[in-house]
Amino acid sequence: MAPRSIIIDTDPGQDDAVAIMLALGRPDAVELLGLTAVAGNVPLHLTVPNCLKLLELAGRTDIPVFAGASAPLMVPLVTAEHVHGKTGLDGWDFPEPTTPIRPEFAPDWIVETVMSRPEKSVTLLPLGPLTNVALALAKEPRLAERLESIILMGGACVEGGNITPTAEFNIFVDPHAAARVFASGADIVVLSLDATHQAQITNDWLTAIKGLGTRVGVAFEGLLTFYERFDTEKYGTDGGPLHDPMTVAHLLAPHLFTGKRVNVEVETTPGLCFGQTVVDRWAVTDRPKNATWVTGLDSPAVFDLILDAFRRLP
Ligand code: RIB
Ligand code: CA
C-alpha cells in the first residue's frame, strides 16, 4: 500500500514534536508533505522556528514549513507556556534553525496542495488551534470533501477541560475556527482528552526512548521529562498524557482505537462553557453526526508503535 500523504498543522509543543517524529519515523506508511505552523502553545514567531528545529533534528529539512495564523479568528491569543515552557520546546537546547521557511501563507498552501492532488489523497492532522484549517476552508469550502479526512487533537467530553473546567486548550484558543471545521462536512476523527488521557507516558517507555542513544532519543528524553512534570503534578499520575501523537497513531493503526459517530458542536458564547465541545454521545438530538469521537485506545500498543518509529530516526 502506498504511503498516506499528510499535512500536519501544529503549534510545537513537545507532544506535537512526538507526533511529527512518529510520522517521520514511518516513511513506509506516511509521506509528510509539509508542516503548517499556527499560534497556540506559544506565539507563531516561536511555533515556526520550532517546526524547523524538529525537522533539522531529524535530518529532514527537505520537508517544507509554512507560517500560518498568528492569532485566532475572533478572540485574543491564549498560550500555554506554563505547560510547554517559554520556547514551547523547553527541555532541550536546540541550535537556532537555519532552514528558510516557504513564503506561502499556510492556509493558502493547504488549499493549493489538497486541491491539486487526487481526491481523497491527502489527510490533514491538526495538532493545535484550528485557525489555519478554518481559514483554508473559508478560502476553499470544497476542501472538506477533497480531503481524505481531518484527524485532529482537541476537545473533551467525559474528561472535562484542561484549560477551563469545560474546554480543552486547542478548541478553547479558537472556538470559532473549531465550530467552522465541525460544520464543514469534512470526514473528522477527534482525538479528544477522552482518548488522550488514556495515553499516559510511563517511566519505562521514557527510559527506552533515552536508551536509544540517538540524537533524537536523547533530545526527546529531555523534552518529555520537562513536558510531563506539569501534568503529573496536575493529575497526580506517574506520567503525562501524550496528546498529539494519537492522531498519527490513529492514521497508522486505526485498529488500536475505538470510537463512535456523534454530533459535535462548539460553544462560542462567552462564559463558563466557552470553547466546550458539546458531544451528543447518545444521539438525543437530531443534529447530524459530523465526527468520529474516539473513546478508547490500546495504550501499550500505541506506545510500542511510537518507540518503533523513534528507533528508525537518527
Ligand atoms: O490540550 C492538549 C493540546 O493543547 C495539545 O495539542 C498540546 O500540544 C496543546 O496544543
Ligand atoms: Ca499541539
Side-chain angles (χ1 to χ4, degrees):
M1 185 175 173
R4 296 273 296 276
S5 298
I6 72 169
I7 294 169
I8 292 180
D9 189 71
T10 180
D11 63 335
Q14 291 88 350
D15 60 321
D16 303 67
V18 176
I20 293 165
M21 292 300 154
L22 174 53
L24 295 176
R26 291 297 307 274
D28 59 305
V30 170
E31 178 193 17
L32 179 55
L33 299 177
L35 296 180
T36 52
V38 67
N41 284 323
V42 288
L44 185 73
H45 75 265
L46 291 174
T47 57
V48 169
N50 285 350
C51 288
L52 297 172
K53 290 174 180 178
L54 293 167
L55 293 174
E56 290 182 1
L57 177 71
R60 292 302 308 275
T61 53
D62 57 299
I63 294 174
V65 173
F66 302 84
S70 59
L73 296 183
M74 297 177 68
V75 290
L77 177 65
V78 171
T79 51
E81 289 86 350
H82 60 290
V83 179
H84 300 273
K86 64 178 175 20
T87 70
L89 288 178
D90 283 26
W92 185 251
D93 188 16
F94 289 87
E96 277 309 303
T98 57
T99 314
I101 67 167
R102 295 276 295 276
E104 299 90 330
F105 181 45
D108 291 342
W109 178 77
I110 291 171
V111 169
E112 188 270 329
T113 301
V114 175
M115 300 309 288
S116 65
R117 287 171 175 259
E119 193 160 2
K120 305 294 185 185
S121 67
V122 178
T123 304
L124 179 59
L125 284 78
L127 311 182
L130 290 165
T131 317
N132 285 344
V133 182
L135 290 170
L137 286 163
K139 176 170 184 176
E140 181 45 88
R142 294 177 300 165
L143 197 67
E145 70 258 13
R146 189 88 182 182
L147 281 164
E148 185 279 330
S149 66
I150 295 174
I151 307 175
L152 68 89
M153 192 280 139
C157 179
V158 174
E159 278 295 302
N162 61 0
I163 189 75
T164 75
T166 54
E168 177 278 327
F169 178 79
N170 287 341
I171 307 300
F172 176 78
V173 169
D174 198 341
H176 304 94
R180 291 172 72 169
V181 172
F182 281 105
S184 69
D187 182 357
I188 300 172
V189 178
V190 183
L191 281 298
S192 74
L193 299 182
D194 295 6
T196 66
H197 278 189
Q198 300 177 46
Q200 299 277 339
I201 297 170
T202 65
N203 293 330
D204 288 348
W205 184 81
L206 202 47
T207 300
I209 290 284
K210 180 181 180 182
L212 294 174
T214 58
R215 70 168 188 255
V216 170
V218 171
F220 272 77
E221 195 267 338
L223 288 167
L224 292 175
T225 301
F226 175 88
Y227 165 74
E228 71 169 355
R229 88 218 175 282
F230 178 81
D231 283 327
T232 52
E233 187 176 329
K234 176 177 176 178
Y235 297 113
T237 52
D238 291 338
L242 206 46
H243 305 289
D244 293 334
M246 297 307 111
T247 60
V248 180
H250 188 282
L251 178 124
L252 290 169
H255 63 281
L256 299 180
F257 297 80
T258 55
K260 66 183 296 187
R261 292 290 298 170
V262 296
N263 173 266
V264 179
E265 302 289 341
V266 179
E267 180 57 80
T268 56
T269 305
L272 284 175
C273 298
F274 184 71
Q276 181 177 15
T277 43
V278 180
V279 181
D280 187 357
R281 286 173 63 95
W282 309 113
V284 296
T285 72
D286 57 0
R287 293 196 287 255
K289 294 181 178 178
N290 57 353
T292 298
W293 190 265
V294 175
T295 54
L297 57 88
D298 179 343
S299 186
V302 168
F303 277 90
D304 285 346
L305 187 76
I306 299 171
L307 183 58
D308 174 64
F310 268 65
R311 284 198 183 96
R312 308 179 195 200
L313 294 168

